[in-house]
Amino acid sequence: MHIFEKNIKDLDIIIPELSIPMANYVPYKIVNQILYVSGQGPVIDGKIIYKGKVGADITIDDGIEAAKICCLNIISIIKHATEGNWDKFNEIIKLGGFVNSNHDFFDQPKIINGASDLLVNIFGNKGKHTRFAVGSNSLPFDMAVEIEAIIKLK
């Protein structure tokens, strides 16, 4: 068993099937060993789990959970793009995190840490990445969080 699969199992995580995009775009593209992942929301089985503004409509803890679900969808894309062969994965380069929040909410980094921490727990040093975490006055379909990613493949 690959170390990443072991980490996923030890964390009692289930990687979902590849999500179908909610509009006219593809979930990912690979260009020169770089995997570009479209923005992923807190979606499970086609249903948005966390909606609304973090810190107003939902709690900070819910926002962190939303970021983790976004991350699981990113991992699902990595698994699909590598055909389930973790040896084709090199490292996470960058996350871009958007948090649906009011103008007086300032904990966006704490929310996106839900995804960042999960990546490091699964991939170790290969999960450490650059990132941004910004607030947005709204997100598509009223999602609480949306995260995009750039990943290097082998």
Side-chain angles (χ1 to χ4, degrees):
M1 177 183 294
H2 195 281
I3 185 68
F4 301 150
E5 285 293 333
K6 181 184 181 318
N7 292 345
I8 290 166
K9 184 178 179 189
D10 289 349
L11 292 167
D12 199 27
I13 294 172
I14 296 171
I15 303 302
E17 292 298 315
L18 184 69
S19 284
I20 304 298
M22 298 176 131
N24 188 17
Y25 62 91
V26 295
Y28 68 90
K29 281 223 175 204
I30 300 171
V31 178
N32 298 325
Q33 266 37 62
I34 303 296
L35 171 63
Y36 296 89
V37 179
S38 296
Q40 299 297 303
V43 177
I44 297 175
D45 295 329
K47 183 176 186 246
I48 299 170
I49 305 303
Y50 292 100
K51 288 186 173 188
K53 296 195 180 300
V54 178
D57 303 320
I58 66 170
T59 67
I60 288 175
D61 287 341
D62 286 341
I64 292 168
E65 290 303 311
K68 289 178 183 177
I69 294 170
C70 296
C71 187
L72 291 175
N73 288 325
I74 290 167
I75 295 167
S76 171
I77 288 172
I78 297 170
K79 189 173 181 178
H80 187 270
T82 60
E83 300 170 333
N85 181 353
W86 291 110
D87 290 330
K88 293 180 180 180
F89 165 81
N90 190 354
E91 66 180 330
I92 307 294
I93 296 173
K94 184 175 187 177
L95 289 186
F98 301 89
V99 179
N100 186 354
S101 54
N102 288 323
H103 73 280
D104 57 350
F105 182 82
F106 305 108
D107 282 331
Q108 290 86 359
K110 186 176 193 177
I111 303 306
I112 302 305
N113 275 347
S116 295
D117 293 345
L118 186 57
L119 290 172
V120 172
N121 287 338
I122 292 172
F123 299 116
N125 284 335
K126 292 182 176 285
K128 292 185 178 180
H129 51 274
T130 63
R131 115 179 162 191
F132 66 82
V134 298
S136 176
N137 68 339
S138 68
L139 289 173
F141 308 104
D142 199 29
M143 290 186 292
V145 178
E146 183 175 5
I147 301 175
E148 66 175 11
I150 301 172
I151 292 114
K152 185 171 184 190
L153 304 175
K154 292 180 186 173

